[in-house]
Amino acid sequence: MSGPTPPATSTDEAIADARRAVDRMRSGGGVVQTQRRPTRGGRGGVKQRATLIALANAAILIAAALFGGIVMPLGMFGALAVMMLMLAVTLAIAFAPATPVPTPERIARSEIKALPAATARWLDAQRPALPAPAVPVIDRIGAQLDTLGAQIGALDDDAPAAAEVRRLVGEQLPEFVRDYQKVPAGLRSTPRNGKTPDQQLADGLGVIERELGEMSEQLAQGDLDALATRGRFLEIKYQGE
């Protein structure tokens, strides 16, 4: 027959308080929510950092609870050590430098498996400098690149299908956006040949979006031969104007 339940110690109370704090963080109570899509790149965004902080602190609490319940009670100094460790981990993650955004040159040299993620991170970093009509297309392209990254895990770098993916994702997409960025800001809303550079950017990104959709569909169907022999290249109307 089990004995009476021992009274709660200061260690138990400290761990319980910390657990409640982690639960509030997980539910978003301690994090300022923003409407803008978070920046990609591991620990670069607020939500990513908050998630890592919550997971790390939860792991510390679980380890402390197991140690206190199995090995020996933590006591007041042990509870203080746990809290200090949680604070140190929180600060380390919160103020860790973000992973640098890859350059187009580095993207072009990326392995095929890492190419969609690298391009998506670079493209996401360009959003503040792009016109409003292009932003929704950028978001959809980012989602397609995430899907494509999960699909090409079995492709070799020298496979014919990989060359088609690399051409569109690693070359044409970054080059198209960089061509637009070379246009002086004052001329981007000036019509030329019936369209402004802003409109041409949005239209060209729409073409890329459709091309990415077809690539994903062919990969999902396992039709690598069709992907490798598509022979279609993005027609960049803006280039040279």
Side-chain angles (χ1 to χ4, degrees), residues 5-233:
T5 302
T9 64
S10 60
T11 301
D12 297 329
E13 293 175 355
I15 292 178
D17 289 341
R19 279 176 173 167
R20 285 192 290 271
V22 172
D23 290 338
R24 287 195 298 270
M25 182 175 294
R26 282 177 169 174
S27 63
V31 179
V32 176
Q33 299 295 327
T34 59
Q35 294 298 321
R36 182 179 172 184
R37 184 165 167 262
T39 304
R40 296 171 181 265
R43 291 182 287 184
V46 173
K47 291 180 65 176
Q48 290 92 335
R49 290 176 187 259
T51 300
L52 283 174
I53 290 172
L55 292 175
N57 285 338
I60 293 173
L61 288 174
I62 293 172
L66 291 176
F67 183 87
I70 298 175
V71 181
M72 59 179 294
L74 295 177
M76 182 178 66
F77 292 105
L80 180 60
V82 170
M83 298 301 293
M84 293 298 292
L85 178 59
M86 291 176 63
L87 177 61
V89 169
T90 298
L91 293 176
I93 296 176
F95 294 100
T99 305
V101 177
T103 63
E105 291 76 19
R106 181 179 174 185
I107 291 173
R109 297 192 301 268
S110 298
E111 294 183 356
I112 189 64
K113 297 177 180 63
L115 184 61
T119 302
R121 288 189 56 230
W122 178 83
L123 189 61
D124 196 63
Q126 314 308 309
R127 294 170 81 252
L130 299 181
V135 172
V137 190
I138 290 291
D139 290 340
R140 293 195 297 270
I141 289 176
Q144 288 182 324
L145 289 173
D146 290 341
T147 301
L148 190 64
Q151 290 179 309
I152 62 175
L155 286 181
D156 294 328
D157 274 18
D158 56 353
E164 185 68 20
V165 174
R166 183 178 297 279
R167 183 177 294 111
L168 179 62
V169 175
E171 298 175 10
Q172 292 177 333
L173 174 53
E175 287 174 2
F176 181 49
V177 176
R178 293 178 81 184
D179 282 343
Y180 167 82
Q181 292 172 335
K182 294 175 184 177
V183 178
L187 298 179
R188 293 176 183 176
S189 58
T190 302
R192 183 179 178 86
N193 296 331
K195 286 188 178 181
T196 66
D198 287 349
Q199 293 171 327
Q200 290 174 328
L201 175 68
D203 291 346
L205 290 174
V207 174
I208 294 176
E209 180 188 357
R210 292 190 293 272
E211 291 286 301
L212 287 172
E214 292 185 11
M215 279 187 173
S216 292
E217 183 177 353
Q218 289 170 337
L219 285 169
Q221 296 172 351
D223 197 352
L224 298 183
D225 290 337
L227 176 60
T229 59
R230 284 165 64 237
R232 287 183 295 174
F233 300 89

